[in-house]
Amino acid sequence: MKQTPTKIQSDMGILLKEEDFEGIRHWKIRVLKDRLARYSISLGGSLVIVAIVLIFFYLIYETAPLLQGAEIKKISEYSIASHQASVNSHYAVEEQGEIAAKSDDSGQILFFDTHTGRLKKKFQISIPPEEQISSFYASDAESGGFAYGLSNGSLIVARHEYLISFPDDSKRLITPGLTFPMGETPLSIAPSGQALVKIAFEQNNAEATIIALTEDKHLLISRFVNDNSLFSNEIPSKRIDFEIPLKHHQTGYVIQQLLLSKDQRRFFILYQDNVGRSLLDFFSIGSPLVEKNSFNNKDVVKLIQQVVLAEKSNPVTNMSFLTGDISLLVGQKSGRISQWFPVNLENIGYQLKFVREFNDQQAAIIQIVPEMQRKGFIALDQQGKIGLYHTTAEKTLLIQQVSTSQASQLALAPRANFLLILDDQDNAAFWSVTNEHPEISWHSMWYKVWYESYPQAEFIWQSSSASSDFEPKFSLTPLAFGTFKAAFYAMLFAIPLAIMGAVYTAYFMTPAARGMVKPAIEIMEALPTVILGFLAGLWLAPLVEDNLPAVFSLVFVLPVSVLLFARGWYFLPETIRQKIPDGWEAFILIPFLSFMTWASFALSLPMEAIIFDGDMQSWLNNELGLGFNQRNSIVIGIAMGFAVIPTIFSIAEDAVFNVPKHLTLGSLALGATRWQTLIRVVILTASPAIFSAVMIGFGRAIGETMIVLMATGNTPIMDFSFLQGMRTFSANIAVEVPESEVGSSHFRILFLAALVLFIFTFLFNTVAELIRQNLRRKYSQL
């Protein structure tokens, strides 16, 4: 059996005992453990950094498509001269982009393949002998409705219809057709038999309206009402006719265009006066009294406003509705396109207002076609250029030359993904359109935007709407404002309590008392924030609402009570004071403050009745203009401050407690009091860590989700009042991401909000670290 030596000679010739050898072995094991710990911690830290970088790049990956601009690509080009020559034609493309329809001045409807121009089907409108088509009006591409005005004062209404089938269970077959919602027999509109030179027509399941201008300048309105069923497809059974007196009979006045909204409640007359100015008459149409079989013109049809759209030097060349039929798009000879919509002004009513303009095309605008599902549009000018625009984003998406000869007309598919362009040589070009996120721009996200029907430009976040004419409102400014507002009030509540509590616990309490208080506060951080949010929303918010005087009075009562208690403590007999050991005085203060809090709430209703006539909320609103929301910044400050306090307290308390003892003892030895030592030595030495604690708490408040989600009311408003709620980035993301369509503009802008929140946090942490390092260098010599 091998004997273990009792002495070992080292490399330096020193003899070591066996226990020394064991000590060296343990030391080597400890060094190995230290290295493993160092490598493990370094690896963990590196993985954290990698994870953060990957999150950052994933957010960029999801938001990058928002930066992609619009693009059009030519799919095919062909001639349609073989179809039939016509002077005036109108074109429309069906939803799938496979078939186009051509309506001409002979009453012929041709359906042809958009890719090849091959004729698929042909219809002929039945026009009375010896009569001609004198006017034409087309509704939007989605409804496919259009109307012919005839030279004998009658009118024919038709609609494109597309039947989709799958005959071989694989390939889609679209069969075009034609329907006549008002019947195939022409409707007599002008009793005098005068030709209809301008017409406008709209129809829904309940009613139809026809506005017609006759050759002798009579403006006629015919209203057809279906009183059988709101959803009936039958021809409307009741008809009411009347005439609107025109004031523009003077020589030189030329009516250019009539426009009727789809809801049949507003219509516009565009005309030039005798000096060449472009003017607009804005009318409203009320509901007729059908049982009387007549209109009261003064009550039903009203001239709301007369507007000068353009001067003689730059007349209006085309006008169209934006989708939703709220806004008017006005194209002019210079290529300028302006947007107008009615605004409800106080004491005046609705007035048409100029909102914004686009000046990126340099030739006369001959056609404006709105998108059916978004607030965008395409404009065609005389030089064969098209412009893609979005009104809410105030953004020009694309300007491109599409025709070498003079372009005559364009047609946009209802999904705005295909475009058919015709020139004056009967050549057609079919284009694909890629334009995924036109509503997103720097301006729409961070600046005030004047939205339709709003009285002025505002910051608005509203990602969904129940109406089909929804205008996207993706302003991130209210969310950023709400994020900082929530963090501000939370820190306003948390910083004084956490730091003062940390200083008192670390510097004045005995070790035994500190051993009780510090773990108790730190364990608060383990409380789930969803519980805090639940309590804040369902218990704290109603409590604050019912006891506003008590809540406001506590801001003054509690600090004054502490001072009075401290002052009264020193008037007590010394024998009583000596019974309480130093460092335990704060525990006596707890029941006293609890009593003062109870007294404040008990006196809340009497105070409200005496001072505020029983309603403090009304007093705040009437006297100070401060509206009250139950889930407000006070609730958020208390609830989120309660969640942030443990983080700030723990770091700040450790910093104060770990100030080197020789600094405090030296200060006291030189004659400084404990308060002087605290303020001039301890706080300054611990200031870098205290500042870090505050910034970490601020970052915690910035990123908080559940508390602000459940206790703020989630109202994205720009109001710094402590009595109003807010919506934050994190709460907005939590609420809307599950409901958003993957890949949509809404989906991607939520990821953009997350990226902005990420950048905010990174910048604040970076600045905080720089300030901390500066403070550390400044006070490291103490």
Side-chain angles (χ1 to χ4, degrees):
M1 182 174 180
K2 187 175 180 181
Q3 297 291 327
T4 303
T6 58
K7 292 184 179 181
I8 300 176
Q9 186 174 6
S10 68
D11 295 337
M12 300 179 64
I14 301 175
L15 295 177
L16 300 177
K17 296 181 180 180
E18 185 174 359
E19 54 267 25
D20 295 330
F21 176 77
E22 291 294 328
I24 292 174
R25 188 173 65 180
H26 285 301
W27 177 80
K28 290 182 178 180
I29 293 174
R30 187 173 66 181
V31 170
L32 178 61
K33 290 180 179 179
D34 288 344
R35 288 178 179 175
L36 290 175
R38 183 170 68 252
Y39 294 147
S40 299
I41 293 172
S42 299
L43 177 62
S46 300
L47 291 177
V48 169
I49 295 174
V50 170
I52 292 174
V53 172
L54 289 176
I55 291 173
F56 177 73
F57 280 105
Y58 177 72
L59 293 176
I60 292 178
Y61 170 78
E62 289 291 350
T63 57
L66 295 176
L67 303 177
Q68 296 177 357
E71 182 182 11
I72 64 172
K73 292 182 179 180
K74 185 183 293 186
I75 298 176
S76 61
E77 189 172 9
Y78 47 84
S79 174
I80 57 173
S82 60
H83 290 176
Q84 184 174 349
S86 57
V87 178
N88 298 306
S89 300
H90 173 79
Y91 293 85
V93 178
E94 55 86 26
E95 186 176 10
Q96 306 301 328
E98 297 181 12
I99 298 177
K102 174 188 177 184
S103 309
D104 60 30
D105 57 358
S106 67
Q108 205 170 51
I109 314 297
L110 305 178
F111 293 95
F112 60 93
D113 189 291
T114 54
H115 293 73
T116 64
R118 182 175 61 86
L119 189 63
K120 288 183 148 311
K121 211 163 188 179
K122 181 167 62 174
F123 294 90
Q124 177 65 51
I125 299 293
S126 179
I127 300 175
E130 301 181 357
E131 301 298 336
Q132 296 179 344
I133 293 175
S134 56
S135 57
F136 179 84
Y137 184 87
S139 186
D140 58 69
E142 189 173 27
S143 66
F146 58 96
Y148 289 107
L150 304 181
S151 57
N152 64 350
S154 60
L155 180 136
I156 299 176
V157 177
R159 178 173 294 159
H160 302 143
E161 189 176 71
Y162 301 94
L163 177 63
I164 300 178
S165 60
F166 297 86
D168 57 357
D169 296 329
S170 60
K171 187 177 180 181
R172 178 176 57 208
L173 177 63
I174 301 177
T175 305
L178 207 61
T179 61
F180 297 88
M182 305 293 291
E184 295 189 44
T185 304
L187 296 169
S188 177
I189 303 298
S192 62
Q194 291 285 324
L196 306 183
V197 295
K198 299 290 181 184
I199 57 173
F201 169 81
E202 292 293 343
Q203 182 185 27
N204 55 36
N205 290 331
E207 58 187 355
T209 301
I210 298 169
I211 302 177
L213 177 70
T214 63
E215 194 172 14
D216 55 355
K217 293 192 175 180
H218 288 275
L219 189 62
L220 308 174
I221 294 184
S222 295
R223 177 69 67 87
F224 299 82
V225 180
N226 188 351
D227 59 352
N228 295 325
S229 171
L230 181 63
F231 302 102
S232 174
N233 291 321
E234 297 178 7
I235 299 174
S237 57
K238 293 187 178 181
R239 171 178 175 174
I240 307 167
D241 301 291
F242 68 101
E243 179 179 349
I244 299 177
L246 281 178
K247 299 180 181 180
H248 314 303
H249 289 278
Q250 299 94 330
T251 303
Y253 278 67
V254 178
I255 295 179
Q256 298 175 272
Q257 193 174 353
L258 302 178
L259 273 181
L260 175 64
S261 62
K262 282 194 291 188
D263 63 4
Q264 305 168 48
R265 293 295 177 261
R266 292 171 293 115
F267 76 91
F268 301 86
I269 303 176
L270 174 66
Y271 62 95
Q272 284 189 351
D273 63 8
N274 51 11
V275 296
R277 296 184 306 170
S278 294
L279 307 180
L280 184 72
D281 283 356
F282 172 25
F283 289 88
S284 69
I285 307 177
S287 297
L289 300 175
V290 177
E291 62 273 12
K292 294 183 179 180
N293 200 37
S294 65
F295 279 97
N296 183 340
N297 294 357
K298 294 182 180 179
D299 296 331
V300 177
V301 179
K302 295 181 180 179
L303 176 62
I304 302 298
Q305 188 183 9
Q306 292 179 314
V307 182
V308 178
L309 292 181
E311 298 298 329
K312 178 181 179 180
S313 58
N314 189 21
V316 173
T317 54
N318 190 265
M319 187 173 70
S320 175
F321 280 120
L322 190 63
T323 185
D325 289 8
I326 296 175
S327 292
L328 284 176
L329 300 172
V330 179
Q332 295 176 243
K333 184 179 179 180
S334 65
R336 176 179 181 262
I337 303 172
S338 57
Q339 181 186 3
W340 302 66
F341 57 67
V343 174
N344 192 6
L345 302 178
E346 188 176 357
N347 300 325
I348 299 177
Y350 280 97
Q351 294 287 293
L352 206 61
K353 290 291 183 181
F354 166 77
V355 179
R356 57 181 62 93
E357 65 180 0
F358 303 91
N359 291 291
D360 296 281
Q361 290 176 264
Q362 307 303 318
I365 303 298
I366 60 175
Q367 191 177 0
I368 299 174
V369 179
E371 295 186 17
M372 291 298 100
Q373 300 174 358
R374 300 180 296 200
K375 296 295 181 178
F377 65 94
I378 298 181
L380 175 66
D381 64 28
Q382 282 186 337
Q383 293 180 352
K385 288 184 179 179
I386 63 166
L388 273 68
Y389 304 90
H390 196 277
T391 55
T392 307
E394 298 189 26
K395 184 178 180 181
T396 300
L397 303 161
L398 176 71
I399 300 292
Q400 185 165 327
Q401 188 78 40
V402 294
S403 177
T404 55
S405 58
Q406 184 174 348
S408 62
Q409 194 173 156
L410 63 84
L412 183 65
R415 295 182 182 180
N417 54 350
F418 294 106
L419 185 65
L420 182 67
I421 300 175
L422 294 305
D423 64 17
D424 56 358
Q425 305 297 323
D426 284 332
N427 295 316
F430 190 59
W431 301 70
S432 66
V433 181
T434 303
N435 187 18
E436 293 296 327
H437 309 290
E439 55 273 275
I440 306 302
S441 69
W442 180 266
H443 186 276
S444 66
M445 291 188 296
W446 298 109
Y447 289 85
K448 287 186 176 182
V449 177
W450 198 345
Y451 299 102
E452 286 183 338
S453 302
Y454 279 67
Q456 60 189 4
E458 295 183 36
F459 296 109
I460 302 291
W461 172 276
Q462 183 185 353
S463 59
S464 61
S465 172
S467 62
S468 59
D469 57 352
F470 169 63
E471 183 174 18
K473 302 174 181 67
F474 290 137
S475 177
L476 295 180
T477 304
L479 305 182
F481 179 87
T483 300
F484 286 110
K485 179 183 176 182
F488 171 80
Y489 282 106
M491 300 304 287
L492 191 65
F493 177 82
I495 287 176
L497 295 179
I499 292 181
M500 292 180 183
V503 170
Y504 185 85
T505 303
Y507 191 70
F508 291 102
M509 278 188 173
T510 63
R514 177 176 179 266
M516 295 172 55
V517 172
K518 191 172 188 295
I521 296 178
E522 288 178 342
I523 204 172
M524 288 165 47
E525 197 163 12
L527 287 175
T529 56
V530 67
I531 300 300
L532 295 177
F534 179 81
L535 293 175
L538 299 184
W539 171 74
L540 181 60
L543 182 69
V544 170
E545 181 183 25
D546 296 337
N547 299 276
L548 271 180
V551 173
F552 283 101
S553 63
L554 283 176
V555 178
F556 304 99
V557 168
L558 292 182
V560 172
S561 299
V562 172
L563 295 176
L564 292 176
F565 181 86
R567 188 62 179 170
W569 175 257
Y570 284 99
F571 283 106
L572 292 175
E574 187 175 350
T575 55
I576 297 178
R577 287 190 284 115
Q578 286 179 349
K579 292 182 179 180
I580 307 299
D582 289 342
W584 290 84
E585 298 90 344
F587 291 93
I588 305 176
L589 189 61
I590 294 175
F592 178 72
L593 292 181
S594 300
F595 172 77
M596 295 304 297
T597 302
W598 173 84
S600 297
F601 276 89
L603 296 173
S604 177
L605 292 179
M607 282 192 297
E608 188 171 23
I610 296 171
I611 302 175
F612 304 107
D613 197 23
D615 193 347
M616 187 176 179
Q617 294 182 25
S618 298
W619 183 87
L620 288 170
N621 187 44
N622 298 332
E623 300 297 328
L624 303 180
L626 297 175
F628 181 84
N629 189 344
Q630 185 192 65
R631 301 188 177 189
N632 51 52
S633 300
I634 298 176
V635 176
I636 284 298
I638 296 173
M640 199 152 70
F642 191 83
V644 170
I645 281 175
T647 301
I648 302 176
F649 173 88
S650 181
I651 299 174
E653 199 275 342
D654 286 338
V656 173
F657 185 78
N658 291 325
V659 171
K661 297 300 181 183
H662 67 270
L663 295 178
T664 58
L665 295 176
S667 175
L668 294 171
L670 292 173
T673 64
R674 294 190 71 184
W675 276 102
Q676 289 173 328
T677 301
L678 173 67
I679 294 172
R680 300 188 179 184
V681 177
V682 176
I683 296 297
L684 294 180
T685 305
S687 60
I690 293 175
F691 182 78
S692 294
V694 171
M695 294 309 297
I696 290 174
F698 183 76
R700 170 85 163 76
I702 285 286
E704 176 55 44
T705 301
M706 293 310 300
I707 295 177
V708 293
L709 179 64
M710 303 177 72
T712 62
N714 284 315
T715 307
I717 58 175
M718 300 279 288
D719 189 342
F720 201 72
S721 170
F722 55 86
L723 299 177
Q724 292 294 329
M726 75 289 290
R727 177 178 285 199
T728 66
F729 276 131
S730 55
N732 189 68
I733 293 169
V735 169
E736 298 193 4
V737 162
E739 305 298 329
S740 62
E741 178 188 354
V742 176
S744 65
S745 296
H746 179 210
F747 177 84
R748 298 197 185 280
I749 204 169
L750 290 174
F751 275 88
L752 179 61
L755 179 61
V756 170
L757 185 60
F758 186 100
I759 293 173
F760 278 173
T761 306
F762 176 79
L763 291 178
F764 276 105
N765 287 339
T766 301
V767 172
E769 180 63 20
L770 294 175
I771 296 175
R772 188 187 72 83
Q773 294 291 347
N774 184 57
L775 291 174
R776 187 174 182 179
R777 286 193 300 268
K778 184 175 181 179
Y779 298 115
S780 61
Q781 302 303 321
L782 292 177

